[in-house]
Amino acid sequence: MKYYNLFIYSFLMIFSLCSLQVKAQSGGDDVPFPESMILPMDSLLSDWRVRTFIISNEDCSTADENPFFEDSIYIDRLSRIPTVMEMPYNDVVRRFIDQYNTRLRKNVSVMLATANFYIPIFEEALDAYDLPIELKYLPIIESALNPSAVSRAGASGLWQFMIGTGKIYGLESNSLVDERRDPLKSTWAAARYLKELYDIYKDWNLVIAAYNCGPGNVNKAIRRSGGQTDYWAIYEYLPRETRGYVPAFIAANYVMTYYCDHNICPLETDFPADTDTVQVSKRLHFEQIADLCNVSIEQLKSLNPQYKRNIIPGDVKPYTLRLPHGQLCAFIDKEDSIYSHRASELFTNRRQVEAKRNTGTASKTAVRSSATTAKSNKVVYHKIRSGETLSTIARKYKVTVNNLKRWNNLRNNNIRAGKQLKIYR
């Protein structure tokens, strides 16, 4: 009887441990999907990138029905993806694969189209840091390949950097510029961050878990598990949203490789294939470029998502502008004209103002006198000749350079022959 009771106790202990392991492996229904997988389809399709550059593929259409496959098929297909990272299969991974192949079929079609533009950028940075190329699908679960995506927590861009982490890796964030949305800079920052995480954990599943919830939470899960350093062993100790992160990553690799087997067809993209960059050293508005370079505001936003207000603050420091090759040549040819085009209309921030103070009757009299004098001033227009400067013109009319700039809304001392200056005498 004693041994029988011991046997029953041992059996129950083993069953409990196995149940716990199965729960960790399967996750049940409480494993949340990443934000990129729960975005409404209408929101994705109304995105200006999709409206402007994604077009239907007349030779191929995504079927509504997803064929059923046995688990053994999924296991075999995952094993045949040439990866360094481990791609195991379980009920949780199956659940995420099913989501991509059913409810998110149209999203996958869109992502397959935009991938043609972004994946080469990802592959170049990952290869430079000697990282697994399959990490190129990490932005699929981070942002659904939308460079303007913003999470509920405030993470932004293709790689969903928080402001603090982005600044550590050299990504500038202010009211006008958010380099977390810059596909090129954010990708190289992400590659560097992933490399440093791997130097800590030496396990790629732990690396991408730490990328999602931070090294602190992964370290805490490792301690709570008794020092285990396997993702599936610390699974139940991770934050709830991170438990679905690695399965979602495995599912993204699967669907981006085997989408044809699930009757999903990629849409075609009209992104400009041939683009290049130029350095901007003056303040510039997208409307100035659009007016003179035959390029739409939407296309400028698409190629330069890091500029939040359609303004490039090149007067602070040089910034990069990406354009289709044809429009880039036009920009270089017309650069001076572009900078001056509608500048006074688009940039209204004053650099200096005079604060008038009321100090009594004498001041009021002075103000009235000044106003009367201004009304009686005669306005003349001076046509700028070649070789003239603001200083020489100011001396000729016995006024100050600052007055000339104020009267003509000039932001600097640059003037051009043939233009007219308004002068009060």
Side-chain angles (χ1 to χ4, degrees), residues 315-352:
D315 54 336
V316 177
K317 70 175 187 179
Y319 282 96
T320 298
L321 169 67
R322 181 173 292 277
L323 290 168
H325 190 264
Q327 282 73 23
L328 184 74
C329 295
F331 180 90
I332 294 172
D333 291 340
K334 305 175 183 178
E335 189 165 359
D336 289 339
S337 300
I338 293 170
Y339 285 130
S340 59
H341 176 67
R342 297 174 58 194
S344 59
E345 171 194 346
L346 295 169
F347 302 117
T348 57
N349 285 344
R350 294 174 294 175
R351 297 301 178 92
Q352 184 176 346

Side-chain angles (χ1 to χ4, degrees), residues 79-122:
S79 69
R80 288 190 281 112
I81 299 176
T83 63
V84 172
M85 300 174 66
E86 186 182 28
M87 297 283 172
Y89 178 81
N90 56 33
D91 291 343
V92 188
V93 173
R94 172 67 181 256
R95 180 172 170 237
F96 280 86
I97 291 175
D98 287 344
Q99 282 294 310
Y100 276 125
N101 289 328
T102 54
R103 187 176 64 85
L104 300 176
R105 293 172 70 77
K106 291 183 179 179
N107 301 51
V108 173
S109 293
V110 173
M111 289 190 292
L112 285 165
T114 55
N116 294 328
F117 185 78
Y118 293 120
I119 292 297
I121 298 174
F122 304 159

Side-chain angles (χ1 to χ4, degrees), residues 4-300:
Y4 176 77
N5 290 336
L6 181 61
F7 171 79
I8 294 297
Y9 177 78
S10 300
F11 175 80
L12 291 174
M13 285 293 294
I14 293 171
F15 178 81
S16 298
L17 289 173
C18 290
S19 299
L20 185 63
Q21 181 67 15
V22 169
K23 182 180 178 182
Q25 295 281 328
S26 65
D29 292 332
D30 65 335
V31 181
F33 293 108
E35 284 186 46
S36 65
M37 296 183 71
I38 58 177
L39 290 173
M41 188 62 201
D42 291 344
S43 174
L44 178 66
L45 292 178
S46 66
D47 181 78
W48 51 262
R49 288 181 316 122
V50 176
R51 295 197 316 269
T52 307
F53 298 110
I54 306 299
I55 57 179
S56 62
N57 187 345
E58 296 180 356
D59 298 328
C60 179
S61 60
T62 295
D64 293 330
E65 184 178 351
N66 174 49
F68 175 81
F69 296 105
E70 298 289 345
D71 288 347
S72 58
I73 300 296
Y74 289 116
I75 294 170
D76 178 64
R77 288 176 179 172
L78 283 170
S79 69
R80 288 190 281 112
I81 299 176
T83 63
V84 172
M85 300 174 66
E86 186 182 28
M87 297 283 172
Y89 178 81
N90 56 33
D91 291 343
V92 188
V93 173
R94 172 67 181 256
R95 180 172 170 237
F96 280 86
I97 291 175
D98 287 344
Q99 282 294 310
Y100 276 125
N101 289 328
T102 54
R103 187 176 64 85
L104 300 176
R105 293 172 70 77
K106 291 183 179 179
N107 301 51
V108 173
S109 293
V110 173
M111 289 190 292
L112 285 165
T114 55
N116 294 328
F117 185 78
Y118 293 120
I119 292 297
I121 298 174
F122 304 159
E123 290 176 336
E124 182 181 1
L126 294 170
D127 181 65
Y129 278 93
D130 195 26
L131 301 176
I133 299 299
E134 53 267 30
L135 287 168
K136 65 187 177 184
Y137 295 132
L138 198 58
I140 286 178
I141 56 174
E142 286 287 347
S143 62
L145 293 183
N146 183 350
S148 300
V150 180
S151 74
R152 289 188 293 255
S156 185
L158 288 166
W159 295 88
Q160 291 290 281
F161 275 100
M162 297 294 289
I163 284 184
T165 308
K167 287 184 176 179
I168 292 173
Y169 290 91
L171 301 178
E172 179 182 355
S173 295
N174 55 50
S175 296
L176 297 179
V177 180
D178 188 351
E179 291 182 338
R180 296 176 298 166
R181 301 182 182 186
D182 185 321
L184 202 61
K185 288 189 176 182
S186 66
T187 296
W188 284 84
R192 179 182 160 201
Y193 185 29
L194 290 165
K195 180 75 170 178
E196 292 180 4
L197 288 174
Y198 186 75
D199 290 341
I200 297 171
Y201 295 109
K202 305 298 183 185
D203 180 279
W204 284 113
N205 284 336
L206 292 183
V207 165
I208 62 175
Y211 189 92
N212 175 250
C213 67
N217 283 315
V218 171
N219 294 341
K220 189 186 300 182
I222 291 173
R223 288 195 299 270
R224 287 177 175 175
S225 70
Q228 298 283 340
T229 55
D230 176 72
Y231 172 82
W232 297 104
I234 68 170
Y235 179 89
E236 63 176 321
Y237 302 104
L238 289 167
R240 183 169 172 266
E241 64 274 9
T242 306
R243 295 176 195 170
Y245 196 73
V246 169
F249 174 73
I250 296 170
N253 271 268
Y254 174 89
V255 75
M256 296 298 280
T257 304
Y258 295 107
Y259 58 88
C260 283
D261 294 297
H262 292 268
N263 297 328
I264 298 176
C265 189
L267 296 177
E268 291 185 353
T269 178
D270 196 26
F271 272 111
D274 190 8
T275 66
D276 208 340
T277 59
V278 64
Q279 289 294 103
V280 173
S281 56
K282 296 181 182 179
R283 182 166 286 239
L284 190 62
H285 198 286
F286 280 3
E287 290 190 27
Q288 294 173 287
I289 307 168
D291 286 351
L292 299 185
C293 293
N294 191 31
V295 58
S296 70
I297 296 291
E298 297 301 317
Q299 192 168 39
L300 288 170

